[in-house]
């Protein structure tokens, strides 16, 4: 137990940081529902209070902040791509562009 306390004081054993990282990686690479991610975190030994804290941090972004739904296929595709990339730049590699349908 002293070892874990020492690692925690050094910032090397941080359940909250691990839970955030796990949820982000799951969301980015292999999306799962919130309940499935929470179950996986419990399997990794993350406590209920940490999971509750993580759940409290979730902020839902409005899908269409300006309240206007996309009208054309191109607009819907642009919105879908923006959601998929989550602020990351559009790739310039030819293969990556082909994978996302550009």
């Amino acid at each position: 137990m002293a070892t874990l306390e020492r690692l925690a004081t050094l910032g090397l054993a941080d359940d909250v940081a691990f839970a955030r990282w796990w949820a982000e990686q799951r969301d980015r690479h292999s999306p799962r529902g919130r309940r499935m991610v929470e179950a996986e975190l419990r399997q990794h030994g993350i406590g209920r209070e940490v999971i509750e804290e993580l759940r409290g941090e979730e902020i839902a972004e409005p899908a269409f902040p300006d309240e206007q739904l996309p009208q054309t296929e191109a607009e819907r595709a642009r919105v879908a791509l923006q959601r998929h990339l989550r602020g990351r730049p559009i790739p310039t590699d030819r293969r990556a562009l082909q994978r996302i349908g550009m």
Side-chain angles (χ1 to χ4, degrees):
M1 196 63 161
T3 303
L4 281 177
E5 290 173 7
R6 173 84 173 128
L7 290 172
T9 57
L10 294 173
L12 298 175
D14 185 351
D15 285 347
V16 175
F18 173 78
R20 278 189 198 114
W21 175 83
W22 185 267
E24 180 182 313
Q25 294 303 309
R26 260 300 173 216
D27 189 41
R28 181 173 292 160
H29 299 291
S30 184
R32 303 275 195 272
R34 179 181 54 85
R35 290 176 58 192
M36 178 65 105
V37 172
E38 289 175 1
E40 290 175 347
L41 288 170
R42 283 192 296 277
Q43 288 175 347
H44 284 286
I46 302 299
R48 182 176 300 268
E49 60 281 346
V50 173
I51 293 172
E52 301 262 339
E53 181 180 336
L54 183 66
R55 188 182 303 150
E57 292 177 1
E58 293 177 350
I59 300 172
E61 295 180 14
F64 304 103
D66 55 357
E67 297 300 324
Q68 293 181 0
L69 297 175
Q71 299 299 316
T72 67
E73 186 68 28
E75 289 173 352
R76 286 192 292 274
R78 180 186 50 78
V79 169
L81 180 61
Q82 286 174 341
R83 276 194 212 147
H84 175 72
L85 294 174
R86 292 187 196 98
R88 295 177 297 225
I90 293 178
T92 56
D93 178 75
R94 186 179 57 81
R95 282 188 71 202
L97 289 173
Q98 286 176 337
R99 290 183 69 199
I100 60 174
M102 293 183 81

